[in-house]
Amino acid sequence: MNMQTSSVMAPPAPKGLAEMQLPLVMMRDILLKTIFRKNVDTVSEVAAAVCLPGSVTQELIDIAREQKLMEATGTLNANSGNEMGYQLTDAGKARALDALSQSEYFGAMPVPLDVYREQVKRQSIRNIQVTRDQLTGAMGHLVLPDSLLDHLGPAVSAGRSILMYGPPGNGKSSISNGIRDALGDNVYVPRAIEYSGQVITVYDPIVHTAIEQEEDDPNSLRRRKRFDTRYVQCERPTVVTGGELSLSMLDLVYNPTARTYQAPLQLKSTGGIFIVDDLGRQAEPPQALINRWIVPLEESKDILGLQSGEKFEVPFDTLVIFSTNFHPNEIFDQAALRRIFFKIKIDGPNQENFLKIFAMVARKRGMPLDEAALVHLLKVKYPTIQNIYANYQPIFLIDQMISICEFEGIPYQMSPDLIDRAWANMFVKEEKIVH
């Protein structure tokens, strides 16, 4: 839901090998491995495969030719605008195989960590200003009290950390998703980054939603100004984790076969949102999870470790949203609570908002409202649970009544009797089961 055009400055494409800031041998080997694995033979095909401009790719090919690792085939490739073809020499193939035995990584040239840091600053989540209209627009499907938006707006604009707590079934997850939709602009995610000669893959189609790019027409006189294609233009990412989250998921993942690393979840969510849903349901205690985030939240940097034991800093630029059904004092000590910038209680609706939600769901589902049924619900059923309303209940009750009507073969309708039958499925009676 794009509510604002992307104002993020795109990473500029490198103009020459000197600008790449990567070890020359590493670049040459990735070039050879890519040609070997992908069987590409013209400069434009190779450039697309390694995600570099044609001029920079030509520089690399020329170096490989000087080292007798590549040669021109002497044929012009008619399919690709009469481009010269190139191939690996026997020495080049041997070098490619040797390089593949050290690391299976080929394809997009990685972005050095220091270069990536600059792009993270340009597209920081802290630069975002969310207006009340954007937040209301993104939350349009939810009935929320104004006071809640009063708290949420500044929290999102600060781009720090938010703890949402309160009884289950009141839309903490939906609100988290609404916050994501309100962000609205795009960021650039590197396919891979490089640190100390190691490749760490970052772009992940499961986490990142790429923006479709228009292809350049090679015959057009005005070529569009290109950004560095080692990055993928994406919507601001959202990573959602729940009870399955463990501390090990926040470490680099090493693939011993490919001898490359995969970025952990919080690095993939850079420039976006990291949602920890159902805090308190993980195997590790909530205090331990929060302790892991304390330095990143305060210093905007995270510490990761390589297989060798070497530790290094990466940017931490993520809006972290914790959501829990527990009271914060039950699961955190005061030091941890101080470090979470915004604590927002998400309560159930009052009776007026409950009726608004009920009417809205009924209209969407094509269920006519019935006064006698509503009076029965509010005056007879809710007093049995101390008149505590929850946002999930209207959908639950109406869907139950629809199922009953469909089973009985009668038009959609609500009545005190149908309310009773739906209510019976919402709460399980306390009773002893005799074994």
Side-chain angles (χ1 to χ4, degrees), residues 145-177:
D146 287 340
S147 60
L148 179 58
L149 288 176
D150 295 344
H151 292 306
L152 270 181
V156 175
S157 288
R160 301 301 286 264
S161 53
I162 301 173
L163 171 67
M164 291 195 281
Y165 66 98
N170 285 311
K172 290 187 287 292
S173 305
S174 307
I175 291 167
S176 302
N177 294 331

Tab-separated table of all heavy atoms in Angstrom, residues 145-177:
chain	number	residue	atom	x	y	z
A	145	PRO	N	-9.521	3.003	19.164
A	145	PRO	CA	-9.760	4.280	19.844
A	145	PRO	C	-8.723	5.323	19.423
A	145	PRO	O	-7.564	4.978	19.157
A	145	PRO	CB	-9.612	3.931	21.335
A	145	PRO	CG	-8.925	2.618	21.385
A	145	PRO	CD	-9.143	1.921	20.082
A	146	ASP	N	-9.135	6.603	19.326
A	146	ASP	CA	-8.212	7.675	18.913
A	146	ASP	C	-6.975	7.721	19.795
A	146	ASP	O	-5.872	7.999	19.334
A	146	ASP	CB	-8.919	9.046	18.988
A	146	ASP	CG	-9.918	9.187	17.847
A	146	ASP	OD1	-9.774	8.441	16.859
A	146	ASP	OD2	-10.833	10.028	17.951
A	147	SER	N	-7.169	7.448	21.093
A	147	SER	CA	-6.044	7.552	22.023
A	147	SER	C	-4.925	6.579	21.633
A	147	SER	O	-3.748	6.849	21.855
A	147	SER	CB	-6.503	7.272	23.454
A	147	SER	OG	-7.045	5.960	23.527
A	148	LEU	N	-5.299	5.445	21.029
A	148	LEU	CA	-4.285	4.464	20.634
A	148	LEU	C	-3.416	5.036	19.513
A	148	LEU	O	-2.191	4.918	19.535
A	148	LEU	CB	-4.952	3.157	20.196
A	148	LEU	CG	-3.997	2.044	19.736
A	148	LEU	CD1	-3.009	1.699	20.830
A	148	LEU	CD2	-4.768	0.804	19.341
A	149	LEU	N	-4.055	5.683	18.527
A	149	LEU	CA	-3.288	6.284	17.432
A	149	LEU	C	-2.402	7.415	17.957
A	149	LEU	O	-1.304	7.638	17.452
A	149	LEU	CB	-4.229	6.811	16.340
A	149	LEU	CG	-4.912	5.725	15.495
A	149	LEU	CD1	-5.888	6.341	14.515
A	149	LEU	CD2	-3.913	4.866	14.742
A	150	ASP	N	-2.887	8.131	19.004
A	150	ASP	CA	-2.073	9.197	19.620
A	150	ASP	C	-0.743	8.636	20.115
A	150	ASP	O	0.293	9.305	20.050
A	150	ASP	CB	-2.798	9.827	20.833
A	150	ASP	CG	-4.065	10.560	20.424
A	150	ASP	OD1	-4.211	10.839	19.212
A	150	ASP	OD2	-4.909	10.834	21.293
A	151	HIS	N	-0.771	7.404	20.646
A	151	HIS	CA	0.460	6.782	21.164
A	151	HIS	C	1.283	6.146	20.043
A	151	HIS	O	2.512	6.222	20.045
A	151	HIS	CB	0.117	5.688	22.189
A	151	HIS	CG	-0.485	6.226	23.455
A	151	HIS	ND1	0.121	7.195	24.210
A	151	HIS	CD2	-1.638	5.912	24.092
A	151	HIS	CE1	-0.645	7.477	25.258
A	151	HIS	NE2	-1.712	6.719	25.208
A	152	LEU	N	0.583	5.497	19.107
A	152	LEU	CA	1.283	4.743	18.061
A	152	LEU	C	2.064	5.646	17.118
A	152	LEU	O	3.192	5.335	16.735
A	152	LEU	CB	0.282	3.934	17.228
A	152	LEU	CG	-0.055	2.527	17.683
A	152	LEU	CD1	-1.046	1.911	16.715
A	152	LEU	CD2	1.184	1.645	17.783
A	153	GLY	N	1.453	6.777	16.719
A	153	GLY	CA	2.069	7.659	15.718
A	153	GLY	C	3.482	8.069	16.069
A	153	GLY	O	4.433	7.793	15.314
A	154	PRO	N	3.685	8.714	17.245
A	154	PRO	CA	5.041	9.131	17.618
A	154	PRO	C	5.988	7.942	17.748
A	154	PRO	O	7.172	8.044	17.428
A	154	PRO	CB	4.846	9.816	18.980
A	154	PRO	CG	3.397	10.206	19.013
A	154	PRO	CD	2.671	9.178	18.196
A	155	ALA	N	5.476	6.794	18.208
A	155	ALA	CA	6.329	5.607	18.382
A	155	ALA	C	6.879	5.143	17.036
A	155	ALA	O	8.067	4.855	16.899
A	155	ALA	CB	5.532	4.487	19.047
A	156	VAL	N	6.007	5.105	16.023
A	156	VAL	CA	6.449	4.647	14.701
A	156	VAL	C	7.420	5.656	14.098
A	156	VAL	O	8.454	5.286	13.528
A	156	VAL	CB	5.229	4.429	13.772
A	156	VAL	CG1	5.677	4.063	12.363
A	156	VAL	CG2	4.330	3.335	14.340
A	157	SER	N	7.110	6.943	14.230
A	157	SER	CA	7.980	7.974	13.641
A	157	SER	C	9.362	7.989	14.290
A	157	SER	O	10.349	8.358	13.657
A	157	SER	CB	7.335	9.354	13.761
A	157	SER	OG	6.243	9.439	12.865
A	158	ALA	N	9.444	7.578	15.565
A	158	ALA	CA	10.746	7.551	16.241
A	158	ALA	C	11.600	6.397	15.711
A	158	ALA	O	12.821	6.416	15.790
A	158	ALA	CB	10.565	7.419	17.748
A	159	GLY	N	10.939	5.349	15.169
A	159	GLY	CA	11.672	4.217	14.582
A	159	GLY	C	12.540	3.494	15.580
A	159	GLY	O	13.630	3.044	15.251
A	160	ARG	N	12.109	3.372	16.833
A	160	ARG	CA	12.957	2.734	17.846
A	160	ARG	C	12.434	1.348	18.231
A	160	ARG	O	12.663	0.384	17.552
A	160	ARG	CB	13.052	3.625	19.096
A	160	ARG	CG	13.608	5.005	18.835
A	160	ARG	CD	15.018	4.973	18.241
A	160	ARG	NE	16.038	4.611	19.194
A	160	ARG	CZ	16.780	5.458	19.861
A	160	ARG	NH1	16.628	6.747	19.704
A	160	ARG	NH2	17.703	5.039	20.703
A	161	SER	N	11.698	1.258	19.314
A	161	SER	CA	11.164	-0.042	19.725
A	161	SER	C	9.839	0.188	20.429
A	161	SER	O	9.655	1.184	21.120
A	161	SER	CB	12.153	-0.755	20.655
A	161	SER	OG	12.499	0.095	21.728
A	162	ILE	N	8.923	-0.738	20.206
A	162	ILE	CA	7.568	-0.618	20.748
A	162	ILE	C	7.209	-1.947	21.410
A	162	ILE	O	7.457	-3.016	20.841
A	162	ILE	CB	6.546	-0.333	19.620
A	162	ILE	CG1	6.890	0.963	18.872
A	162	ILE	CG2	5.125	-0.252	20.166
A	162	ILE	CD1	6.033	1.216	17.634
A	163	LEU	N	6.629	-1.865	22.599
A	163	LEU	CA	6.079	-3.066	23.238
A	163	LEU	C	4.573	-2.892	23.287
A	163	LEU	O	4.068	-1.939	23.877
A	163	LEU	CB	6.635	-3.224	24.663
A	163	LEU	CG	5.978	-4.322	25.509
A	163	LEU	CD1	6.280	-5.704	24.947
A	163	LEU	CD2	6.441	-4.246	26.967
A	164	MET	N	3.847	-3.792	22.624
A	164	MET	CA	2.381	-3.778	22.701
A	164	MET	C	1.958	-4.930	23.592
A	164	MET	O	2.392	-6.066	23.377
A	164	MET	CB	1.764	-3.927	21.311
A	164	MET	CG	1.982	-2.711	20.443
A	164	MET	SD	0.923	-2.699	18.998
A	164	MET	CE	1.764	-3.819	17.932
A	165	TYR	N	1.153	-4.637	24.591
A	165	TYR	CA	0.731	-5.697	25.493
A	165	TYR	C	-0.756	-5.571	25.777
A	165	TYR	O	-1.366	-4.518	25.572
A	165	TYR	CB	1.549	-5.651	26.788
A	165	TYR	CG	1.319	-4.429	27.649
A	165	TYR	CD1	0.442	-4.469	28.738
A	165	TYR	CD2	1.963	-3.221	27.381
A	165	TYR	CE1	0.228	-3.353	29.527
A	165	TYR	CE2	1.754	-2.103	28.155
A	165	TYR	CZ	0.883	-2.170	29.235
A	165	TYR	OH	0.658	-1.057	30.005
A	166	GLY	N	-1.336	-6.655	26.244
A	166	GLY	CA	-2.768	-6.644	26.548
A	166	GLY	C	-3.357	-8.008	26.282
A	166	GLY	O	-2.677	-8.907	25.758
A	167	PRO	N	-4.645	-8.190	26.622
A	167	PRO	CA	-5.269	-9.507	26.483
A	167	PRO	C	-5.276	-9.988	25.034
A	167	PRO	O	-5.283	-9.171	24.110
A	167	PRO	CB	-6.696	-9.290	27.013
A	167	PRO	CG	-6.888	-7.813	27.074
A	167	PRO	CD	-5.547	-7.179	27.161
A	168	PRO	N	-5.258	-11.324	24.831
A	168	PRO	CA	-5.213	-11.865	23.462
A	168	PRO	C	-6.495	-11.549	22.692
A	168	PRO	O	-7.529	-11.261	23.286
A	168	PRO	CB	-5.061	-13.378	23.676
A	168	PRO	CG	-5.540	-13.636	25.071
A	168	PRO	CD	-5.272	-12.388	25.851
A	169	GLY	N	-6.368	-11.608	21.354
A	169	GLY	CA	-7.555	-11.463	20.509
A	169	GLY	C	-7.990	-10.036	20.284
A	169	GLY	O	-9.138	-9.785	19.919
A	170	ASN	N	-7.085	-9.073	20.497
A	170	ASN	CA	-7.472	-7.676	20.288
A	170	ASN	C	-6.681	-6.973	19.195
A	170	ASN	O	-6.644	-5.755	19.129
A	170	ASN	CB	-7.371	-6.900	21.605
A	170	ASN	CG	-8.535	-7.260	22.519
A	170	ASN	OD1	-9.676	-7.245	22.085
A	170	ASN	ND2	-8.244	-7.634	23.742
A	171	GLY	N	-6.035	-7.774	18.346
A	171	GLY	CA	-5.480	-7.189	17.133
A	171	GLY	C	-4.073	-6.637	17.241
A	171	GLY	O	-3.695	-5.774	16.455
A	172	LYS	N	-3.264	-7.133	18.212
A	172	LYS	CA	-1.884	-6.637	18.279
A	172	LYS	C	-1.148	-6.960	16.969
A	172	LYS	O	-0.412	-6.142	16.448
A	172	LYS	CB	-1.153	-7.256	19.481
A	172	LYS	CG	-1.670	-6.726	20.823
A	172	LYS	CD	-0.839	-7.202	21.999
A	172	LYS	CE	-1.050	-8.661	22.333
A	172	LYS	NZ	-2.392	-8.967	22.862
A	173	SER	N	-1.414	-8.163	16.432
A	173	SER	CA	-0.749	-8.554	15.176
A	173	SER	C	-1.259	-7.711	14.013
A	173	SER	O	-0.485	-7.276	13.155
A	173	SER	CB	-0.989	-10.035	14.871
A	173	SER	OG	-0.572	-10.806	15.972
A	174	SER	N	-2.569	-7.447	13.981
A	174	SER	CA	-3.134	-6.633	12.890
A	174	SER	C	-2.585	-5.218	12.941
A	174	SER	O	-2.333	-4.590	11.911
A	174	SER	CB	-4.666	-6.564	13.001
A	174	SER	OG	-5.203	-7.852	13.074
A	175	ILE	N	-2.397	-4.697	14.167
A	175	ILE	CA	-1.859	-3.336	14.312
A	175	ILE	C	-0.414	-3.303	13.823
A	175	ILE	O	-0.004	-2.383	13.113
A	175	ILE	CB	-1.976	-2.863	15.781
A	175	ILE	CG1	-3.449	-2.647	16.133
A	175	ILE	CG2	-1.177	-1.580	16.009
A	175	ILE	CD1	-3.735	-2.476	17.614
A	176	SER	N	0.358	-4.347	14.160
A	176	SER	CA	1.748	-4.435	13.672
A	176	SER	C	1.764	-4.394	12.146
A	176	SER	O	2.575	-3.693	11.531
A	176	SER	CB	2.407	-5.742	14.125
A	176	SER	OG	2.375	-5.840	15.528
A	177	ASN	N	0.865	-5.151	11.521
A	177	ASN	CA	0.816	-5.184	10.054
A	177	ASN	C	0.379	-3.838	9.488
A	177	ASN	O	0.845	-3.416	8.429
A	177	ASN	CB	-0.112	-6.296	9.574
A	177	ASN	CG	0.439	-7.668	9.920
A	177	ASN	OD1	1.652	-7.835	10.009
A	177	ASN	ND2	-0.424	-8.633	10.153
